[in-house]
Amino acid sequence: MQRIKTLSEYFKKYELSEKDPAKFWSQIADSFLWKKKWDNVLESDFENADFQWFKNAQLNITENIFERNLSQRGDKTAIIWEPNDPKESPTYLSYKELYKQTCTFSNALRSKGIKKGDRVIIYMPMVPEAAIAMLACARVGAVHSVVFAGFSAASLADRINDCEAKMVLTSDGNFRGNKTIPVKDVVDEALEKCSSIESVIVLERTKQNINMEDGRDSWWHECIEDQPKTCDSEVMDSEDLLFILYTSGSTGKPKGVVHSSAGYMIYSSYTFLNVFQYDEDDIYWCTADVGWITGHSYIVYGPLLCGATTVMFEGVPTYPNVSRFWDIVDKYKVNQFYTAPTAIRALQAHGLEPLENNSLDSLKVIGSVGEPINEEAWHWYHDNVGKGKCPLVDTWWQTETGGIMISALAGITPNKPAHASLPLPGIIPVIVDAEGNELNGNNVQGNLCIKSPWPSIIRTTYGDHKRCISTYFSHYKGMYFTGDGVKRDHDGYLRILGRVDDVINVSGHRMGTAEVENAINEHEDVIESAVVGYPHDIKGEGIYAYVIVSTKLNDDEIKNQIINVVRKVIGPIAKPDKIQIVSGLPKTRSGKIMRRILRKVASNDFQNLGDTSTLLNPDVVKEIIDGAII
Ligand code: PRX
């Protein structure tokens, strides 16, 4: 696959991708291994959300990682694994070794009855086996669904039940900073509510005592004993499912976003190579967790498809101290470093001292993902981590897009602080107003839509295609609606402004306000609740909950109990930062909660609340302002 090297080449490729997408994408696809080539590059129907890329072609994505790379790069390091505890030895897996371990585990999956199309849940720590689990599923044609290991038993059970998974891959426990998390116990609790799971494979990591259920649970190391070290790859149609990844939307229940085999393969690798400008001997590190789309596309699939060396880190940025990220950059001489603004802001709060003993000389490119990066954090990152010499790629994309959509190409597109900048070739972003009119030209602001199909566009929401159509393809005819607001500045550069729907972004984690409200409402003393986001210095957005209760408990007791309920229903990432007990919520005469008012109060902006006299209960606004938690 050819990499774009100059700005004029970028513009040329962009023009070709607009004029003749089939030619543009087939030229890229030609460098992959196909078991059978396609009949047609693209068939697309926005109205019915029906997209077929590389129609009738056959492939296996793992052949494109292994068989395509092995002769040239067999001994090259594929994965460098840095454990939670820096005193524990790292693991270096060459492409050959990763291939062997993937094949061995693929055979183990098959021996447990896993076959093409079966769904397998991966609920694991950030260890190489998590990547091996994903690749082995792909090798045998099973559909993986990775669930972030911080989610609660209830959330895990919901996801297992939604996709009727047959197997769970997990570990005895997880190391995270100075904590040990009893992951297998969470799985056991979840499985009490699931009937589709036939087997569980458990990786030994923390060596803690766990329950192993006879006939259902087996150890990873025992499953791979005596398995052959090669394994035929399943024949996958281009549109066969590769994975499901659950994500939050503005309605209560997380959606299973579906990605298919060929389109995702082409797009994740193309964007990896071009955005990060990866060179053959570079060491690349993305700090995400494989439980999120960033981990899928830019720790595992994108880099490995390009034959890159990708670093996987098990721990957290603050353990054993706040220099940990920078120690790892120096330890492995990382060239491309990709992280989230929330991590930058958290480290920025510790000042420059933690950076003083690190050279960071190896860095060539630094990247940002997951939420808008504010200018202050952008400059801090650019000046102190990138030492003013590394291009900073602010990459905008989503679980549904499968890969980076709007971003500078490192060192090629001029940098502009806090701007994602320009679309990648093949991506046609448009800005629309509430009525769906396209706002052309520069200096315009509105909702961000995408007008062209791209290879890794969401294919469906698992088990509910209508929901996919209504969420993404029916707001604006003939377009994909992103849910984000955007501004095109006077130079034509795009700046993402954040969500325009009832989704909040807490430390780069997407959360539906309705989902958090549903969790809060599970407390038996809660009558009603409303959740909004508010600006938070480190997390980007914090969670502010207004709750009506009928309880004998005092305020502190009920608030603690509500927090515990949310932890149990969703997980610690969703727990409210602020809870205000109120006697009522501002509602329109038709009974709709006026979230605009709640958002303003939570943001400490008591001016311009608008006309509140027409509300059903105008008095409640004063009470809410008086009791606001600042
Ligand atoms: O609001 C945008 C924000 O994250 C949302 C997508 O979240 P998720 O599907 O979890 O994927 C996160 C990682 C790709 C978007 O709708 N977002 C993502 N990247 C950026 C961003 N907001 C601003 N700038 C970004 N670079």
Side-chain angles (χ1 to χ4, degrees):
M1 192 166 34
Q2 290 283 316
R3 194 176 89 188
I4 293 172
K5 296 219 168 89
T6 62
L7 194 59
S8 62
E9 204 185 327
Y10 159 74
F11 285 121
K12 238 192 245 156
K13 290 281 181 203
Y14 191 84
E15 202 185 318
L16 171 65
S17 74
E18 241 183 335
K19 273 199 194 128
D20 193 349
K23 183 171 175 196
F24 174 77
W25 288 112
S26 64
Q27 281 175 354
I28 294 164
D30 271 338
S31 64
F32 286 78
L33 266 186
W34 300 90
K35 291 175 192 277
K36 174 177 170 281
K37 280 249 173 141
W38 52 90
D39 296 334
N40 195 2
V41 176
L42 164 64
E43 284 179 18
S44 145
D45 171 359
F46 269 87
E47 204 166 320
N48 296 304
D50 184 7
F51 305 101
Q52 300 190 46
W53 279 89
F54 309 104
K55 193 168 174 172
N56 295 332
Q58 291 175 339
L59 74 155
N60 187 290
I61 194 167
T62 67
E63 282 198 354
N64 283 280
I65 291 174
F66 297 119
E67 280 81 347
R68 183 159 142 268
N69 279 317
L70 280 174
S71 61
Q72 246 188 316
R73 303 183 175 106
D75 294 319
K76 178 176 173 177
T77 303
I79 295 178
I80 301 177
W81 175 66
E82 167 74 5
N84 178 61
D85 182 349
K87 289 194 225 80
E88 192 182 334
S89 301
T91 300
Y92 291 80
L93 284 179
S94 66
Y95 272 86
K96 253 192 221 152
E97 185 59 32
L98 183 63
Y99 171 65
K100 204 167 77 191
Q101 293 200 26
T102 299
C103 286
T104 311
F105 196 64
S106 302
N107 289 320
L109 289 178
R110 279 193 176 140
S111 73
K112 294 266 174 201
I114 294 297
K115 52 184 189 329
K116 182 173 174 177
D118 288 342
R119 275 81 57 212
V120 174
I121 296 282
I122 300 176
Y123 188 72
M124 289 181 75
M126 281 288 293
V127 289
E129 287 82 356
I132 291 165
M134 292 163 76
L135 298 174
C137 286
R139 186 96 183 157
V140 303
V143 180
H144 60 70
S145 186
V146 185
V147 178
F148 173 59
F151 276 121
S152 67
S155 291
L156 175 61
D158 283 350
R159 287 155 171 78
I160 292 171
N161 289 333
D162 188 77
C163 69
E164 297 173 285
K166 219 166 146 179
M167 180 186 255
V168 178
L169 306 175
T170 189
S171 62
D172 47 357
N174 285 5
F175 292 123
R176 230 180 127 68
N178 53 18
K179 292 192 206 133
T180 305
I181 297 158
V183 182
K184 176 61 166 52
D185 294 354
V186 180
V187 172
D188 288 343
E189 192 188 331
L191 294 191
E192 283 171 19
K193 295 191 212 120
C194 306
S195 56
S196 59
I197 296 295
E198 292 170 7
S199 48
V200 177
I201 300 182
V202 186
L203 178 79
E204 187 174 60
R205 173 69 188 120
T206 53
K207 297 194 164 55
Q208 63 203 89
N209 261 337
I210 55 162
N211 158 56
M212 290 291 280
E213 190 150 319
D214 256 0
R216 186 193 73 184
D217 301 351
S218 43
W219 288 104
W220 183 294
H221 56 270
E222 287 173 5
C223 292
I224 56 175
E225 260 170 32
D226 308 324
Q227 293 293 353
K229 293 183 178 43
T230 57
C231 172
D232 289 343
S233 70
E234 191 66 42
V235 179
M236 302 297 279
D237 184 88
S238 287
E239 286 303 325
D240 278 338
L241 271 62
L242 176 63
F243 66 83
I244 305 169
L245 188 56
Y246 285 85
T247 191
S248 298
S250 45
T251 49
K253 198 171 154 259
K255 300 179 284 276
V257 171
V258 168
H259 284 290
S260 63
S261 301
Y264 178 83
M265 171 178 83
I266 303 292
Y267 199 73
S268 61
S269 52
Y270 177 75
T271 49
F272 169 75
L273 193 69
N274 282 288
V275 170
F276 297 102
Q277 291 287 306
Y278 183 85
D279 273 323
E280 183 60 41
D281 296 324
D282 286 346
I283 310 288
Y284 160 89
W285 179 25
C286 165
T287 68
D289 190 285
V290 287
W292 310 113
I293 190 69
T294 308
H296 283 59
S297 302
Y298 300 110
I299 294 178
V300 180
Y301 286 112
L304 295 178
L305 283 160
C306 292
T309 300
T310 177
V311 177
M312 253 182 116
F313 173 43
E314 184 184 34
V316 294
T318 48
Y319 179 80
N321 58 55
V322 291
S323 296
R324 188 67 192 276
F325 270 6
W326 321 130
D327 291 345
I328 297 174
V329 168
D330 278 2
K331 182 171 176 183
Y332 300 114
K333 307 222 172 324
V334 169
N335 302 111
Q336 289 93 359
F337 175 72
Y338 190 30
T339 195
T342 190
I344 300 297
R345 289 189 297 262
L347 295 173
Q348 184 184 357
H350 293 277
L352 292 176
E353 206 194 319
L355 286 152
E356 271 166 12
N357 293 325
N358 298 93
S359 88
L360 305 181
D361 277 352
S362 55
L363 287 176
K364 296 199 290 193
V365 176
I366 53 178
S368 171
V369 60
E371 47 176 322
I373 181 164
N374 49 308
E375 289 196 29
E376 201 192 335
W378 194 99
H379 284 291
W380 189 88
Y381 189 27
H382 182 259
D383 297 351
N384 300 304
V385 179
K387 311 270 185 204
K389 68 176 170 60
C390 299
L392 196 171
V393 288
D394 176 6
T395 62
W396 174 85
W397 58 296
Q398 308 177 300
T399 305
E400 295 86 342
T401 70
I404 298 169
M405 302 284 281
I406 303 176
S407 169
L409 306 184
I412 292 173
T413 321
N415 258 182
K416 190 163 210 184
H419 284 69
S421 81
L422 300 176
L424 264 70
I427 306 304
I428 307 183
V430 283
I431 303 182
V432 294
D433 65 15
E435 283 73 48
N437 303 309
E438 274 186 42
L439 305 174
N440 295 312
N442 293 343
N443 274 324
V444 288
Q445 182 173 324
N447 292 342
L448 175 62
C449 292
I450 314 289
K451 206 154 82 159
S452 54
W454 65 98
S456 60
I457 189 170
I458 179 176
R459 295 305 199 270
T460 190
T461 46
Y462 192 79
D464 192 352
H465 194 60
K466 276 201 190 119
R467 192 173 178 204
C468 175
I469 298 174
S470 67
T471 311
Y472 305 105
F473 299 99
S474 57
H475 289 76
Y476 303 109
K477 215 173 151 30
M479 295 180 201
Y480 166 83
F481 175 48
T482 65
D484 279 312
V486 67
K487 181 178 178 186
R488 194 185 293 115
D489 75 0
H490 53 273
D491 291 328
Y493 276 47
L494 297 165
R495 178 176 194 155
I496 307 296
L497 303 172
R499 300 290 303 198
V500 293
D501 52 7
D502 288 325
V503 170
I504 49 184
N505 194 326
V506 183
S507 301
H509 299 147
R510 217 167 120 170
M511 218 106 46
T513 52
E515 198 183 343
V516 185
E517 286 162 8
N518 289 348
I520 293 174
N521 297 349
E522 289 214 2
H523 191 292
E524 56 184 7
D525 293 351
V526 170
I527 295 171
E528 196 178 5
S529 63
V531 164
V532 295
Y534 70 96
H536 187 288
D537 284 351
I538 306 287
K539 299 179 177 182
E541 277 187 291
I543 301 178
Y544 195 120
Y546 299 88
V547 188
I548 308 172
V549 291
S550 164
T551 184
K552 293 198 176 67
L553 301 173
N554 69 34
D555 274 12
D556 282 347
E557 286 167 344
I558 185 76
K559 285 182 189 181
N560 279 335
Q561 287 198 4
I562 288 172
I563 287 174
N564 282 335
V565 169
V566 175
R567 290 175 81 102
K568 224 173 148 37
V569 176
I570 306 177
I573 51 171
K575 72 180 183 9
D577 298 277
K578 295 180 181 179
I579 299 177
Q580 183 179 350
I581 306 293
V582 292
S583 68
L585 295 166
K587 289 194 177 165
T588 61
R589 292 195 186 273
S590 59
K592 215 170 155 248
I593 297 173
M594 288 288 282
R595 286 171 188 280
R596 184 178 50 79
I597 294 176
L598 297 177
R599 270 195 290 266
K600 289 226 172 220
V601 173
S603 309
N604 200 2
D605 173 9
F606 303 120
Q607 311 299 319
N608 311 317
L609 289 181
D611 181 11
T612 56
S613 63
T614 56
L615 291 175
L616 199 59
N617 47 356
D619 294 347
V620 89
V621 176
K622 183 172 175 341
E623 178 208 315
I624 284 176
I625 292 175
D626 289 345
I629 305 168
I630 295 163

